[in-house]
Amino acid sequence: MNTITLIRNRAINSARRILIGSKNSSIFVSPLPHHALPVPNHSLQPRFNLYHSKNHHSFKQLGFQHEFGSIRKIFNPSSSNYSTSRCFSLNSAKVGFKVQNFSTSVETRVNDNTFEKIYIQGGLNVKQLVVESVDKDEESVVREEEESVVEKQAWKLLKDAIVTYCGNPVGTVAANDPGDKLPLNYDQVFIRDFIPSALAFLLKGDSEIVKYFLLHTLQLQSWEKTVDCYSPGQGLMPASFKVRTVALEGDTREEVLDPDFGESAIGRVAPVDSGLWWIILLRAYGKITGDYSLQERVDVQTGLKMILKLCLTDGFDMFPSLLVTDGSCMIDRRMGIHGHPLEIQALFYSALRCSREMLAVTDGTNDLVRAINNRLSALSFHIRQYYWVDMKKINEIYRYKTEEYSMDAINKFNIYPEQIPFWVMDWIPEKGGYLIGNLQPAHMDFRFFTLGNLWSIISSLSTPRQNEAILNLIEAKWDDLVGHMPLKICYPALDNEEWRIITGSDPKNTPWSYHNGGSWPTLLWQFTLACMKMGRIDLAQKAVDLAEKRLPVDSWPEYYDTRSGKFIGKQARLYQTWTIAGFLTSKMLLKNPKMASMLFSEEDYDLLEICVCGLSKSGRKKCSRVAAKSQILV
């Protein structure tokens, strides 16, 4: 209770520092130029623009209605043709806007007590972003003299990949190969790709670029981009963005941020994981720097709630896991992962836990926190119980009865034993196990997906016993999952008729290449973090040593091909930034276990006490968390 009170007071005090105004003053908005007069709209409820974005929220819904009751202004200048964000200023104490060429449109969602569906369109032109300096803990920063020659080379490459916007660093390009004449979208800043770069900078003590990245991507949240007249859900974070220079009047030119929400991507799929990674990085920033003021900002709290609202929206799905389409995560091409892929569920679980730590506790967030706890409890039970396979579980599935109709059914998803692939029976070790890639009615995807399993360990989505079994399996199947280069993105590869049907005969995802069983060095940092959490530093060091010998010689490629990862990928970009950053992050984590402990989550036993089924008054049986714990936590 003391912790909750402290968080509430900190958030409210921060809000009071940020927003102090009167009926006749607008503390965020500087005096409007004569050519940008506000257009009155008396049909709208009083709102106030916290920050430049396509989204606009009432303060009441943030739980700060008492602080902002005196603010009564909204602006509606002329429209803009830019689907971009312009240079802006966001100070931790106040914001000064110079309004130019933007429009507003408002759509209110009836009977929604948590969020409103309101957008602000166009661009803003304001002062330079001010980032406060953060004191560095000398013991937590890896010193340059401890770096090897390979590390120094990697750092130079990583710094060369930095993208600036309005004179400030905002991210790193996906790849920086000087010999690549057709970079496609590899010259953009991807949210998921920047995560290892951000962690490398944070561990190095350079937090400025991460703070700018978090704030600028927040500005791009939920633009009204369309694909054949359909818009992404409010709260969606872009997959990537690019800094462009546009011509204004006369010879004037200006930098703008142009986001991609999937409308330009191959397959036209919106990124589900971007918002989840953004939340995870926001927590990591606070943990490593000790600067929690960023989390307390009203605009950041708003963006956080919008992502949660998007993920927690009720639908027709019966499962607590997120239902997504193919290509919506790191595997961004058709690979048969549509449905409830493990990677998304692990990131979703981690993002919910991170959000619960960072949400300002107010009367307006109580329902949201309750929804998070309920979802965490249901999701952990669902994944641990139904996604887990080991020799015992596979033998149980092998003897399943089908067409069971009752609440007491053992084969709840009507899985046919014939779908168990022959390879898994011989492949899975006696003392190992893993979480399958996907679960849907009458379908279990038995492929081993590395990112989902590693992040389940890091976030404690899987149990301590399951965590050990996953690492035991990786160690036992080292030649299959690591080979000449860590680590396989999935195992085994799809081939022959299965490849043609599931991938659509994708020439890039041929067997043992790219997403179809290719080896991705960027997974190294997550493997290192999972191993360190479970006390298996020997495994992490073995993988890092292997990568350190090959990566600089091979020019830091994006991925490797063949069953053992012996060859550089046939279409792999060289000097891939998240390959470089993943290696650097792994090295620094191994040098500083204290910092590694800030990035993973321990088991939350309180979640196992929560029952969310609420079926006690019906003829059905109420689930027993005691039984769940006795089955899983052994």
Side-chain angles (χ1 to χ4, degrees), residues 217-280:
T217 50
L218 183 65
Q219 301 306 302
L220 301 175
Q221 188 181 30
S222 282
W223 285 56
E224 291 187 272
K225 294 280 189 173
T226 60
V227 178
D228 295 340
C229 301
Y230 284 90
S231 299
Q234 185 185 18
L236 181 72
M237 299 295 282
S240 63
F241 64 86
K242 184 177 178 65
V243 178
R244 301 186 187 277
T245 303
V246 298
L248 301 179
E249 296 179 0
D251 296 333
T252 307
R253 302 183 70 83
E254 184 180 45
E255 285 186 340
V256 297
L257 294 180
D258 188 11
D260 178 12
F261 288 88
E263 73 278 2
S264 299
I266 297 173
R268 302 301 190 265
V269 177
V272 177
D273 61 341
S274 290
L276 307 178
W277 278 122
W278 187 88
I279 293 174
I280 293 168

Side-chain angles (χ1 to χ4, degrees), residues 407 611-623:
M407 289 298 298
C611 177
V612 297
C613 55
L615 301 174
S616 58
K617 294 183 179 180
S618 68
R620 311 174 190 177
K621 289 186 177 181
K622 187 175 182 179
C623 72

Side-chain angles (χ1 to χ4, degrees), residues 92 130-138 140-141 202 204-211 284-294:
S92 60
V130 177
V131 175
E132 298 175 346
S133 60
V134 180
D135 293 335
K136 300 175 184 178
D137 183 357
E138 293 182 358
S140 67
V141 178
L202 288 174
K204 186 74 168 177
D206 299 329
S207 61
E208 181 184 65
I209 185 174
V210 182
K211 189 167 188 177
Y285 175 88
K287 285 285 187 179
I288 295 176
T289 66
D291 175 19
Y292 294 98
S293 62
L294 183 65

